[in-house]
Amino acid sequence: MELHHEFTVPVPVDDAWHALLDIERVAPCLPGAVVEDYDGKTVTGSVKVRVGPVTVAYRGTAVFEEQDAAAHRMVLVASGRETRGQGTARATVTGTLTARDSGTAVSVRTDLTVTGRPAQFGRGVLAEVGDRLVSQFAACLADRLAEQAPAPAAAEEQPRERAETEPEPLDLLRTAGLPVAKRAAGLAAAVAALAWAVRRLLRGRRHRHAARRR
């Protein structure tokens, strides 16, 4: 499934480029994400996703396959697997930055493949979730870019501290909004009703089979 999003940030393109490559700085703008290690090319971390009462945790890596500073273009390939399950997630994210007036336009194309429980929602719901997440991320990034960056010397003397508390999982139903949540709830209800009907059918067959044996 391919998704396309665009947003703008109120800083020059070079500043936006360096900010997006500062993974530890922008990671808090991604709900449920935790960065464990980053060496300038490969990110190791985890993401927690909540689907109704179920929380799914993914652990994996993301690798910058391309960082073209002249063209302001980056390609990030991320893959993860459920820590307690067989579900997987893989995404190839291509980001392009373009100067626009006094700010920067960011274009993001995502080729996403998801298996397991979150995949039950389908492309439409995941696209709506993606739209809302990108809007939240853009607003958070703009706020962080507006903050005054620390001086290099101060940054060296005081290393950035990692958050000691884990972030809240990304809640797909809450993020998608009420209409999508209703559709997802309807799907869950339909699946539950089908499962109930199958159990009743099998139980009836067992009772009839037992009666014949008597």
Side-chain angles (χ1 to χ4, degrees), residues 139-207:
C140 177
L141 180 61
D143 289 342
R144 287 183 174 270
L145 290 175
E147 298 173 357
Q148 185 174 359
E156 292 179 2
E157 294 175 0
Q158 298 179 356
R160 184 178 300 151
E161 296 182 0
R162 296 182 183 272
E164 295 183 359
T165 59
E166 292 188 3
E168 286 293 320
L170 165 59
D171 193 326
L172 286 185
L173 297 187
R174 186 174 62 185
T175 301
L178 184 58
V180 175
K182 285 183 176 179
R183 294 207 300 271
L187 174 63
V191 172
L194 177 60
W196 178 82
V198 170
R199 286 198 298 269
R200 288 295 300 270
L201 178 61
L202 293 177
R203 185 179 302 171
R205 287 181 177 178
R206 287 198 296 268
H207 287 332

Side-chain angles (χ1 to χ4, degrees), residues 97-157:
L97 282 63
T98 307
R100 179 175 296 176
D101 297 329
S102 59
T104 300
V106 183
S107 174
V108 181
R109 288 190 178 275
T110 305
D111 186 359
L112 176 66
T113 302
V114 179
T115 66
R117 286 164 284 188
Q120 68 180 305
F121 296 111
R123 186 188 187 285
V125 173
L126 291 178
E128 290 187 52
V129 171
D131 290 342
R132 292 174 182 266
L133 285 178
V134 169
S135 296
Q136 294 175 15
F137 174 79
C140 177
L141 180 61
D143 289 342
R144 287 183 174 270
L145 290 175
E147 298 173 357
Q148 185 174 359
E156 292 179 2
E157 294 175 0

